[in-house]
Amino acid sequence: MTYKTHREFSISVGFLVAIILYNLQMTSINYYLMLPIILSISKYGALFPDVDHDWDKVKEKTILNFVINKIIHITGGKHR
C-alpha cells in the first residue's frame, strides 16, 4: 500500500467504526463529537507504518514523527 491508500483505507474504517459505535450505543459520546476524534486518530494511525523508514522517505514530517523515527532507529529498528 502507498501513503495515499493507507490514509484512505484508515479514514474509511474510521467512519465505519464511528457508525457502528453510535448505532450499537456502545458509547455515550455524541456522534458529532466522536467522529472528528476517530478520524483524527485514524488519519495519524495510517501514517504510523511509514515512520520507520529513513527520515528523508517519511511523507509527513512532524515533530512527533521525527521523535518516533529517531527512537526506532536508535533502538535498532528497521523497515521490514
Side-chain angles (χ1 to χ4, degrees), residues 31-75:
Y31 177 76
Y32 296 106
L33 177 63
M34 181 178 55
L35 187 60
I37 294 169
I38 289 177
L39 291 180
S40 298
I41 292 169
S42 64
K43 181 180 170 186
Y44 184 75
L47 302 177
F48 195 73
D50 294 332
V51 175
D52 63 345
H53 283 286
D54 292 327
W55 181 245
D56 57 337
K57 294 181 182 177
V58 174
K59 298 288 184 192
E60 193 163 314
K61 296 182 182 342
T62 63
I63 293 172
L64 181 60
N65 284 350
F66 179 77
V67 171
I68 294 170
N69 180 277
K70 292 304 170 191
I71 290 171
I72 289 171
H73 288 287
I74 287 171
T75 59

Side-chain angles (χ1 to χ4, degrees), residues 20-33:
I20 290 169
L21 288 175
Y22 184 73
N23 284 338
L24 296 178
Q25 298 176 349
M26 297 176 71
T27 182
S28 60
I29 301 173
N30 184 346
Y31 177 76
Y32 296 106
L33 177 63

